[in-house]
Amino acid sequence: MMKIMIVDDETDIEPLFRQRFRREIRDGLIECQFCFSAEDALNYLNSASAADIVLILSDINMPGMNGLELLRILKEKYSHLTVFMVTAYDDEEKYQKALAYGADRYLTKPIDFEKLKTEVLEFSQKMRSHNA
Amino acid sequence: MIKRLHQRGLTFKMIIYIFTSIAIVLCVILVVNYKYSQKMLRKNIEESARNLNQSIVNRVEVVLTSVEKLPRAVAHLVEHGQYTPERLKNVIRLLVKNNPEIYGMTIAFEPYAFDKSQRYFAPYYYKSGDEIKYASLASGSYSYLDKDWYIIPKELDKPHWSEPYYDEGGGNIIMSTFSAPIYKTIDGERRFIGIITADMSLEWLQQIVNSIKVLETGYGFTLTTTGQFITHPLPEVIMNETIFSVAEERGYPSLREIGREMIQGKSGFKKPDYKSLKGGQASWISYSPIKMNGWSLGIVYPLDELLNDVRHLTIMMLLLGLGGLIFIGFMVALISNSITKPLRHLDTAAKDLAAGKFDIELPHIESRDEIGRLNQSFIAMQSALRDTINKLKDANEALEDYSRNLEAKVEQRTHELSQKNKELDASFKNVKTLSDIGQKITSTLNLELIFNTVYENVNTLLDATTFLIMIHNEKEQQLECRLAIKKGERLPLYIQSMNEKNRLAVWSAEHREPIFMNDVAKESVKYVTFETREATEETISSLIYLPLIVEQRLIGVISVQSYKKNAYTQYHFDILQNLATYTAIALDNAFAYEAINRANRELKEAQAQLVQSEKMASLGQLTAGIAHEIKNPLNFVNNFSELSIDLTKELTEEIDRYQDKFEPKMMDYFHEVLGDLEHNVRKINEHGKRADSIVKGMLLHSRGKPGEMQKADINNLVQEYLNLAYHGFRAQDSTFNVKLETNYDATVEPINIVPQNLSRVFLNIINNACYSVHEKKKERGEKFAPVVSVTTKNLGEKVEVVIRDNGKGIPQDIIDKIFNPFFTTKPTGKGTGLGLSMSYDIVVQEHKGELKVTSEIGEYAEFCITIPKNLA
């Protein structure tokens, strides 16, 4: 089982992910934790229940702290975490910045869930073989 | 006065001038010295006044502190120790007895606060002569609880100095009371329980302040917090007057200002409009606060006394100066007298000479100075005069003879002059006419009008059988004959190259010199090699060529020609020369006007283009923002709708599995509704994707970062995208067919462009062309042969790409809008309306080129793209 954290200010992202990954969640392949701001995400990561999170999907454009800032902090403080950036802004500047801060993937909205699912499952596979 | 001065002697003038200048200098020195000393003095006094004030204030505060210490000590004792009433009374009595500066002391408590058995406890000890007397303030009708000395420190919660008052014993002693609150900690809470006071006579204060001596009449004074005098050398104002009442009575507003600053606790040094109370002199006042009780100390400095020394010094300098002036006057008189004495002698001698006495004896002066030399010159002059007078007498006789002959000559000259006058008059008339013509010529900017006016006037003034005006075209190196008239008939325009050296016009233009011949056959060899033709009636025999020049610029050539020999005189030449000058100016103005008009037109066009570009740029930024915002909700629309399709399918399958549990009618209903539901959700998904592609287009359109310039071959690029568009269209609709014509200019070399952007332009326009011909084909059927042609051309500085189709064409009212974003004529869903708008931005803004469209409805549409080659 792999625990994923999704950070996005749009609360509708939760039912969307839950439905899209229904089977995987039901089969116990993955578990999702939703945070609706970068600050929430950092708070959650500080709590004890965050220990098993391995992958974070984060939006970039959010009120308060933005996703790139979050990414920078995550890569500094929690370097073991894998971070995928998911954003509507596919401009070169943000992309370069995300790469510089160490993003593991850069996906654009509208989210192509087929692709995302493949990526996530591949990642989970890798984790498992790595742990085994 | 000045006139009188002129008449006076040299001695007097010298004394006046020298005396006045020295007196002025002296006065200036005196005034400056006086002012400067005064300023220095004030600075020094201010400094020492501040020190004096501070030292007095310090002395006063030392006394006040020593008095304050005692009640504070008692308050501390009561707060922290246990005292019986008797013991406490004893302490107070001893303190009064042992401290000479204290007149009396009281300790008073809140009801029952000190002694639980007594409501009021307030013993008071005071000095009376050498004895210490006791009184209880708690007795009888005297209730101390509401007295100022009790209530003020209680309410303020801090020690307090009272306003000064006269001692109640009827004496003339001014007193002030220091009261301090006493606290005690009861049940852990620090509570106010009473007051301790010490009365003090202010005699010592008067002594300290009255001891201040400043010069003769300076003095010190003290004010309370309300401005009342406590000490002052005049006893009648003490406790009776305030500084404000004094200011009011005597009308000193600045004293009021000082009073205000003093009671506010400020310090300063001011010169008021004030006469000191004592002595009545103008004075300076220096003041500073006694911080402990808010009183203020002032010291008065009498101004007259301060300035006495400065005045003494000034008067002494004045006296010395006057003495010096008298001495200088005496010396000047002595010197000038020694100069004027010999001059007076010469004066007398000159008067004698003037009277005709050339033989008088002149005074003999030994000195070799200027006066001596003057005397020698005078002697020389005397002898020279004698000779001259003799010569004059001879000349006078000769003159008389001559004047007799003169009259005859004058008569003759007068006659000649009147002749000349007539000639002048005639030529003046000519000049007038010429200037009128000139005005007429130069008053218009219209070329034709200038030509006509010039011709008409030349024709009336001289023989102009043939008349030419040729304009010099510097760029093409040729003379353009814009006006050629032969025997009144206008000939068509013709051109002579400046290389045709055998032409007289070219010679005149090139050398910028006139040609004037009255026998062409003979004289022309001086300029050109002419083939001599046989003379007929219509051979030019006389001619004038004049270059038209303005500010050293060659404008052209003007010429008159005649069949007659000797047709023109110097007079004609001059007239034509005059007219040529005007003509040149008028033509130059007209050309300049034309150039300005042209520039103005170009400016307007450029402006219109700029406005369009600006509109596009701001729209681009806006769309980028909107597009990103729309992408987020679209993400949900697309994903949720996709999910819903799956869910609907799932539900349908689930229902099918349990169909035996439902009635068939029910099943039909389920299928129908679920079918509709799935269809609707599919539609939502489809339209969401459509919106997404529009948004993508908008983002491409408004991409903020410019692409990278690189060398690319335009011909290849166009060919590549022509193929792409064609095959793309074929893939969508197999019925599509078109004849592609290409005509590439092989001299077009690779130039700097952004290939990925420019290719989008080609793709867009070719796509539109294909669409247009395809639509027309659908309408017209077999007999229509669709053609899309692409042409490239090397224009030197630029490269031109023309994409033309023979499709439906673009109506005129739409051409203006096709570059606007979101404008499309394609059916809904087929076009985003962004293609041409984006193309426009890429060509015009990014590549600084031009994108133009021409069309005839139903016939063709042509897009012409021009890209400059030298893009960085």
Side-chain angles (χ1 to χ4, degrees):
Chain A
M1 210 263 293
M2 179 174 72
K3 197 163 174 187
I4 304 177
M5 177 192 266
I6 292 112
V7 189
D8 198 319
D9 60 313
E10 303 255 13
T11 46
D12 277 351
I13 207 81
E14 179 163 358
L16 182 62
F17 266 79
R18 290 211 186 282
Q19 289 184 41
R20 280 292 191 184
F21 285 97
R22 187 164 45 175
R23 188 173 305 142
E24 289 77 8
I25 293 172
R26 194 183 56 208
D27 296 350
L29 280 174
I30 60 174
E31 191 185 327
C32 293
Q33 172 64 40
F34 291 90
C35 290
F36 299 118
S37 75
E39 290 84 351
D40 281 355
L42 289 176
N43 286 339
Y44 183 82
L45 285 172
N46 276 333
S47 71
S49 47
D52 47 352
I53 283 182
V54 288
L55 173 63
I56 292 180
L57 306 183
S58 172
D59 187 20
I60 287 184
N61 219 24
M62 289 185 283
M65 185 190 293
N66 70 29
L68 287 173
E69 191 62 16
L70 174 69
L71 169 66
R72 196 175 58 75
I73 296 172
L74 289 178
K75 284 294 173 184
E76 268 173 24
K77 286 176 72 178
Y78 308 95
S79 51
H80 62 285
L81 291 177
T82 303
V83 185
F84 289 7
M85 301 308 288
V86 184
T87 177
Y89 283 81
D90 58 348
D91 57 298
E92 191 67 15
E93 191 190 332
K94 288 207 170 63
Y95 175 66
Q96 292 299 348
K97 217 166 181 181
L99 281 195
Y101 288 161
D104 295 279
R105 289 278 186 288
Y106 190 87
L107 308 168
T108 56
K109 285 183 185 175
I111 303 168
D112 183 344
F113 270 92
E114 291 309 313
K115 199 173 152 201
L116 179 63
K117 208 180 272 184
T118 330
E119 297 258 7
V120 169
L121 291 178
E122 258 173 31
F123 177 73
S124 131
Q125 204 86 38
K126 222 170 15 184
M127 289 289 298
R128 240 173 294 153
S129 59
H130 185 70
N131 286 341
Chain B
M1 170 75 191
I2 289 184
K3 197 171 177 189
R4 232 179 292 154
L5 198 64
H6 277 301
Q7 291 161 357
R8 297 298 185 110
L10 207 56
T11 317
F12 184 78
K13 280 189 216 168
M14 277 175 83
I15 291 176
I16 288 291
Y17 288 142
I18 295 176
F19 209 78
T20 328
S21 349
I22 293 179
I24 289 171
V25 171
L26 192 69
C27 284
V28 171
I29 291 174
L30 279 178
V31 171
V32 170
N33 180 55
Y34 182 71
K35 290 279 171 203
Y36 187 71
S37 314
Q38 217 179 10
K39 205 171 135 196
M40 290 294 290
L41 191 70
R42 186 191 152 114
K43 216 171 129 189
N44 287 338
I45 290 175
E46 199 173 335
E47 184 69 32
S48 64
R50 204 179 302 127
N51 293 337
L52 180 61
N53 263 43
Q54 198 50 49
S55 77
I56 302 280
V57 167
N58 286 347
R59 276 170 68 189
V60 172
E61 287 190 338
V62 165
V63 177
L64 290 176
T65 318
S66 73
V67 171
E68 277 188 11
K69 244 188 252 165
L70 299 170
R72 284 179 194 276
V74 175
H76 192 264
L77 284 178
V78 173
E79 187 171 346
H80 296 287
Q82 293 295 331
Y83 283 85
T84 63
E86 283 314 311
R87 215 181 134 201
L88 193 57
K89 276 157 84 176
N90 203 29
V91 168
I92 303 281
R93 195 178 62 82
L94 281 175
L95 285 175
V96 172
K97 191 181 168 195
N98 294 337
N99 287 286
E101 62 273 18
I102 290 185
Y103 180 79
M105 277 182 92
T106 313
I107 187 158
F109 288 96
E110 289 279 274
Y112 305 114
F114 181 71
D115 185 350
K116 300 278 186 261
S117 64
Q118 292 184 65
R119 184 173 162 84
Y120 298 115
F121 178 70
Y124 178 43
Y125 285 94
Y126 60 98
K127 286 195 182 110
S128 177
D130 290 337
E131 282 176 75
I132 305 298
K133 289 200 171 172
Y134 167 77
S136 172
L137 299 181
S139 64
S141 55
Y142 187 86
S143 170
Y144 56 80
L145 289 180
D146 55 357
K147 295 292 174 204
D148 278 354
W149 58 265
Y150 190 89
I151 198 89
I152 291 175
K154 178 185 172 184
E155 291 304 321
L156 291 181
D157 207 15
K158 65 176 187 193
H160 173 70
W161 278 94
S162 77
E163 288 293 286
Y165 56 90
Y166 278 113
D167 142 47
E168 276 180 14
N172 248 345
I173 305 167
I174 301 169
M175 312 273 289
S176 180
T177 301
F178 175 75
S179 320
I182 308 170
Y183 300 94
K184 187 135 188 137
T185 309
I186 301 166
D187 300 337
E189 193 186 345
R190 196 163 180 262
R191 266 196 225 156
F192 170 79
I193 58 163
I195 293 286
I196 170 97
T197 74
D199 303 336
M200 181 180 60
S201 155
L202 294 181
E203 270 173 295
W204 59 271
L205 181 66
Q206 280 169 328
Q207 273 168 21
I208 292 175
V209 177
N210 287 347
S211 73
I212 301 171
K213 283 279 174 281
V214 182
L215 301 168
E216 292 288 312
T217 57
Y219 61 90
F221 64 91
T222 322
L223 296 183
T224 66
T225 51
T226 58
Q228 196 170 39
F229 289 103
I230 319 170
T231 73
H232 196 282
L234 297 181
E236 64 265 29
V237 301
I238 296 175
M239 298 296 279
N240 282 332
E241 302 253 23
T242 64
I243 193 164
F244 303 110
S245 67
V246 171
E248 206 62 42
E249 270 168 37
R250 315 209 175 183
Y252 301 144
S254 70
L255 187 60
R256 195 180 307 136
E257 180 59 31
I258 289 173
R260 208 171 295 138
E261 294 211 346
M262 284 179 78
I263 66 170
Q264 280 168 2
K266 293 182 183 166
S267 49
F269 184 77
K270 286 209 172 148
K271 182 185 173 191
D273 54 349
Y274 166 72
K275 301 277 190 296
S276 78
L277 292 186
K278 186 182 152 198
Q281 294 181 337
S283 306
W284 274 327
I285 295 184
S286 142
Y287 49 92
S288 48
I290 302 168
K291 294 227 171 72
M292 290 184 65
N293 55 4
W295 298 347
S296 185
L297 173 78
I299 298 176
V300 175
Y301 293 82
L303 191 59
D304 282 346
E305 288 175 36
L306 291 177
L307 294 181
N308 255 349
D309 287 344
V310 180
R311 288 205 186 109
H312 283 316
L313 180 70
T314 311
I315 287 166
M316 200 133 89
M317 283 177 74
L318 196 66
L319 287 176
L320 272 173
L322 281 177
L325 273 180
I326 291 164
F327 176 71
I328 288 168
F330 178 70
M331 287 305 289
V332 168
L334 214 65
I335 294 168
S336 44
N337 203 37
S338 77
I339 298 171
T340 48
K341 205 171 154 192
L343 281 181
R344 273 199 298 276
H345 280 299
L346 281 176
D347 184 38
T348 325
K351 274 183 190 141
D352 287 345
L353 272 178
K357 297 179 196 164
F358 296 114
D359 303 322
I360 52 145
E361 187 68 21
L362 284 170
H364 192 72
I365 294 167
E366 283 296 325
S367 70
R368 290 190 159 261
D369 59 11
E370 286 88 343
I371 303 287
R373 284 205 290 279
L374 180 65
N375 193 44
Q376 276 159 15
S377 312
F378 214 84
I379 292 166
M381 188 183 86
Q382 188 188 27
S383 72
L385 258 178
R386 215 177 292 145
D387 294 349
T388 315
I389 295 286
N390 288 338
K391 278 181 194 161
L392 260 177
K393 273 180 194 158
D394 297 343
N396 207 16
E397 278 163 22
L399 205 71
E400 270 170 31
D401 288 346
Y402 181 72
S403 78
R404 266 174 234 122
N405 293 333
L406 202 64
E407 278 169 30
K409 270 187 185 166
V410 166
E411 211 163 300
Q412 192 190 338
R413 282 283 155 84
T414 315
H415 182 73
E416 281 170 17
L417 259 177
S418 80
Q419 201 69 26
K420 271 272 189 308
N421 212 9
K422 273 179 204 158
E423 282 170 28
L424 256 176
D425 216 27
S427 75
F428 173 74
K429 268 187 206 143
N430 267 338
V431 169
K432 183 85 175 66
T433 324
L434 275 176
S435 121
D436 286 349
I437 296 170
Q439 225 163 32
K440 218 163 137 196
I441 294 173
T442 48
S443 68
T444 175
L445 291 170
N446 180 320
L447 274 180
E448 274 307 307
L449 216 59
I450 294 170
F451 290 152
N452 285 341
T453 318
V454 174
Y455 172 67
E456 270 166 31
N457 286 298
V458 169
N459 202 30
T460 54
L461 290 170
L462 45 133
D463 173 7
T465 313
T466 306
F467 180 70
L468 304 174
I469 293 181
M470 304 173 102
I471 305 299
H472 177 234
N473 185 334
E474 200 179 346
K475 206 166 156 197
E476 305 288 336
Q477 276 301 307
Q478 60 192 22
L479 290 172
E480 300 165 5
C481 186
R482 297 272 192 94
L483 181 74
I485 291 174
K486 192 171 179 184
K487 291 201 274 185
E489 295 283 320
R490 181 122 183 211
L491 302 179
L493 191 144
Y494 68 92
I495 287 171
Q496 283 181 3
S497 163
M498 286 295 277
N499 295 325
E500 293 179 59
K501 303 286 184 202
N502 241 355
R503 300 281 190 173
L504 286 169
V506 172
W507 189 93
S508 172
E510 202 169 29
H511 293 81
R512 299 189 171 205
E513 288 207 14
I515 299 176
F516 180 18
M517 293 190 271
N518 268 323
D519 187 349
V520 175
K522 274 189 189 157
E523 293 176 65
S524 60
V525 284
K526 280 193 249 169
Y527 307 99
V528 293
T529 47
F530 244 174
E531 321 172 21
T532 29
R533 272 177 283 176
E534 209 165 307
T536 64
E537 262 184 20
E538 300 218 336
T539 307
I540 302 290
S541 298
S542 306
L543 59 76
I544 302 175
Y545 272 101
L546 288 173
L548 300 174
I549 288 169
V550 176
E551 290 167 358
Q552 327 215 315
R553 276 177 294 111
L554 182 67
I555 305 293
V557 178
I558 190 168
S559 172
V560 287
Q561 301 169 2
S562 170
Y563 301 139
K564 293 179 208 144
K565 275 190 188 170
N566 297 320
Y568 306 118
T569 62
Q570 181 66 36
Y571 169 74
H572 291 130
F573 180 81
D574 290 344
I575 285 178
L576 192 67
Q577 181 101 51
N578 250 312
L579 288 178
T581 310
Y582 289 116
T583 311
I585 291 169
L587 289 176
D588 191 41
N589 287 346
F591 291 144
Y593 181 67
E594 259 180 21
I596 286 172
N597 268 345
R598 202 163 43 240
N600 198 17
R601 225 171 18 248
E602 282 165 8
L603 200 69
K604 273 190 186 148
E605 279 167 19
Q607 225 171 15
Q609 208 171 37
L610 208 66
V611 168
Q612 178 72 1
S613 315
E614 204 46 51
K615 261 190 342 211
M616 294 297 160
S618 61
L619 238 144
Q621 282 167 7
L622 189 68
T623 41
I626 296 172
H628 280 120
E629 287 317 307
I630 290 174
K631 267 184 137 187
N632 273 315
L634 270 184
N635 177 33
F636 289 114
V637 171
N638 290 347
N639 275 304
F640 276 124
S641 55
E642 241 166 63
L643 273 167
S644 302
I645 295 168
D646 293 346
L647 288 177
T648 331
K649 273 188 192 155
E650 221 176 292
L651 186 60
T652 314
E653 282 165 18
E654 203 67 11
I655 285 175
D656 284 348
R657 206 163 349 134
Y658 297 108
Q659 58 180 317
D660 48 327
K661 301 229 173 128
F662 297 106
E663 283 177 34
K665 214 174 169 187
M666 204 65 174
M667 281 304 293
D668 286 348
Y669 174 71
F670 283 156
H671 276 296
E672 191 189 333
V673 173
L674 283 171
D676 280 354
L677 197 59
E678 193 190 329
H679 177 257
N680 291 352
V681 180
R682 262 185 208 291
K683 280 288 159 201
I684 292 175
N685 188 255
E686 198 177 293
H687 288 285
K689 282 194 175 138
R690 196 177 123 213
D692 194 47
S693 78
I694 293 174
V695 169
K696 268 198 192 121
M698 281 161 73
L699 281 173
L700 272 182
H701 186 358
S702 61
R703 191 166 290 279
K705 229 175 76 181
E708 244 175 68
M709 287 274 173
Q710 59 189 79
K711 287 241 184 245
D713 186 336
I714 292 241
N715 287 347
N716 280 348
L717 201 67
V718 177
Q719 181 59 41
E720 198 180 312
Y721 281 86
L722 184 65
N723 287 338
L724 204 66
Y726 174 73
H727 291 293
F729 240 87
R730 279 298 292 262
Q732 278 174 29
D733 188 346
S734 56
T735 66
F736 172 76
N737 209 346
V738 66
K739 188 177 170 213
L740 296 177
E741 285 177 358
T742 55
N743 186 8
Y744 298 126
D745 185 340
T747 66
V748 174
E749 286 165 357
I751 60 168
N752 256 340
I753 51 169
V754 185
Q756 66 267 39
N757 286 352
L758 210 56
S759 62
R760 225 165 17 230
V761 175
F762 297 144
L763 188 65
N764 268 320
I765 295 174
I766 295 169
N767 251 333
N768 285 348
C770 292
Y771 181 83
S772 178
V773 292
H774 191 48
E775 289 298 301
K776 193 170 166 186
K777 176 92 185 167
K778 281 193 219 160
E779 277 173 21
R780 303 258 175 111
E782 279 306 308
K783 47 187 182 191
F784 172 63
V787 179
V788 171
S789 73
V790 178
T791 312
T792 61
K793 212 183 271 175
N794 187 354
L795 297 183
E797 305 265 293
K798 300 172 191 166
V799 174
E800 183 186 74
V801 179
V802 178
I803 298 165
R804 184 186 168 111
D805 65 73
N806 63 349
K808 296 168 71 177
I810 310 165
Q812 195 54 46
D813 55 330
I814 286 180
I815 280 194
D816 296 337
K817 300 183 208 156
I818 56 170
F819 296 123
N820 287 352
F822 303 112
F823 178 82
T824 180
T825 55
K826 292 179 187 167
T828 315
K830 293 264 176 162
T832 57
L834 291 170
L836 282 181
S837 156
M838 186 170 77
S839 303
Y840 187 88
D841 284 357
I842 292 170
V843 173
V844 175
Q845 288 181 359
E846 191 171 41
H847 290 85
K848 311 286 172 235
E850 278 178 88
L851 176 51
K852 282 185 182 157
V853 57
T854 47
S855 173
E856 197 174 312
I857 186 130
E859 294 297 322
Y860 76 95
E862 185 178 287
F863 284 78
C864 177
I865 303 158
T866 2
I867 307 283
K869 283 183 179 175
N870 52 353
L871 270 177

